[in-house]
Amino acid sequence: VLEQSALLRVRGRSIFGQWSPLAEALFIVGQAAQPGDVVVSEIHYRPERPSESEREAGFQVRSEFEWIELTNRADHTVNLIEAHWEKGFRFTFTEDLLMEPGERVVLANNLEAFALRYPDAAEHVVGEFEGKLSDAGERLELVDASGRAIVSVRYDDEADEGWPAAADGEGYSLVLSDFEQPENGEAWAASQEIGGGPGLENTSGGSVDPAPSLTYDIWKAEHFTGEALADEAVSGCLGDLDRVGRANFWDYVSGPHP
């Protein structure tokens, strides 16, 4: 039984002493990630400028603090070994990376810069990519060993297309709030905190400056009445009254009426 993935190379020898061409096959532990299993759930493409202490530590440009977050949205563990980024930055998963359902991992532009700014999130980082994220937006594409796209998503900085302006230079990250529509700018929100929340589920989306006095219960009472208000399946955080695939909670933090 294989305990880790391995690339096996073999030759065959005929009874006449002739060797066959070299054949190779990758045997993967677990299940290789399939299209749709993994999503880019957070993108920090234009971080806040380095602070004085960060500059003193040797980090002079904001791009050193870039990162992206991946989430396994499948109901099973997936392995990203041999997957590589073909569009955007450059990075290859050369070793087994087994992601449990719901698990989030982070790729950083600079490991040391990331560890300095996010000391509590370093455990989520699985690698350092080459290159940088485009400030104007671009397509990011992760493909498997055969070249098939596992993840392909475009982000942008065009506010008139629904992309959050606060993520474009104000230090907030882009957070995917609707996994079903990653190509839609309105499916992304600015993070609640400057710097985003790498590896943290509870920072996935929200308005940049939510009113602290407006609790979810108050918001719910303002938007639901009667039986709908009393039914948690309808008015609760995970309800979806307008059936657009977005939970009520996202409407609460981002503003629109459900």
Side-chain angles (χ1 to χ4, degrees):
V1 178
L2 286 176
E3 295 184 355
Q4 64 182 38
S5 299
L7 180 65
L8 301 183
R9 297 182 175 91
V10 296
R11 289 182 185 273
R13 187 179 183 182
S14 73
I15 59 174
F16 303 106
Q18 295 179 321
W19 289 96
S20 69
L22 181 67
E24 61 180 38
L26 177 64
F27 291 85
I28 296 177
V29 172
Q31 184 170 332
Q34 303 296 309
D37 285 348
V38 178
V39 295
V40 174
S41 48
E42 194 164 356
I43 305 172
H44 201 25
Y45 70 92
R46 202 169 181 209
E48 193 174 29
R49 296 182 185 279
S51 65
E52 182 177 349
S53 61
E54 289 169 340
R55 290 194 299 272
E56 291 176 351
F59 307 109
Q60 306 300 319
V61 294
R62 66 171 78 197
S63 62
E64 293 178 289
F65 297 92
E66 294 174 344
W67 52 266
I68 71 160
E69 176 191 83
L70 294 173
T71 298
N72 177 13
R73 62 185 301 242
D75 60 2
H76 55 271
T77 300
V78 299
N79 195 339
L80 289 179
I81 187 171
E82 292 300 309
H84 62 278
W85 294 91
E86 193 165 85
K87 295 182 180 179
F89 54 83
R90 297 176 299 282
F91 181 84
T92 299
F93 294 95
T94 57
E95 300 178 351
D96 285 319
L97 177 60
L98 297 170
M99 294 182 67
E100 301 290 335
E103 184 177 357
R104 297 163 185 263
V105 298
V106 174
L107 291 172
N109 177 292
N110 184 307
L111 294 179
E112 293 183 355
F114 184 92
L116 180 61
R117 184 170 285 188
Y118 304 97
D120 296 330
E123 63 182 296
H124 300 290
V125 179
V126 295
E128 180 180 278
F129 59 78
E130 296 181 41
K132 69 179 295 293
L133 298 171
S134 171
D135 291 344
E138 63 185 329
R139 180 165 294 281
L140 305 176
E141 188 166 277
L142 177 67
V143 302
D144 63 17
S146 69
R148 179 183 57 168
I150 301 172
V151 178
S152 183
V153 64
R154 179 188 67 89
Y155 70 92
D156 212 321
D157 65 346
E158 295 294 333
D160 58 357
E161 295 181 7
W163 294 92
D168 187 20
E170 296 181 25
Y172 297 88
S173 66
L174 278 179
V175 186
L176 183 60
S177 59
D178 185 349
F179 285 4
E180 302 302 326
Q181 303 183 69
E183 297 285 318
N184 185 350
E186 295 182 352
W188 295 80
S191 58
Q192 292 188 17
E193 304 288 342
I194 289 178
L200 303 179
E201 182 177 4
N202 61 356
T203 62
S204 298
S207 61
V208 172
D209 188 19
S213 60
L214 182 63
T215 65
Y216 183 80
D217 286 340
I218 295 175
W219 178 90
K220 181 172 69 171
E222 291 178 349
H223 292 84
F224 297 88
T225 59
E227 293 182 359
L229 178 61
D231 188 352
E232 277 296 306
V234 176
S235 63
C237 290
L238 299 180
D240 180 18
L241 182 62
D242 51 1
R243 300 183 183 278
V244 296
R246 185 169 74 167
N248 293 333
F249 179 76
W250 298 120
D251 290 331
Y252 157 63
V253 294
S254 59
H257 189 291

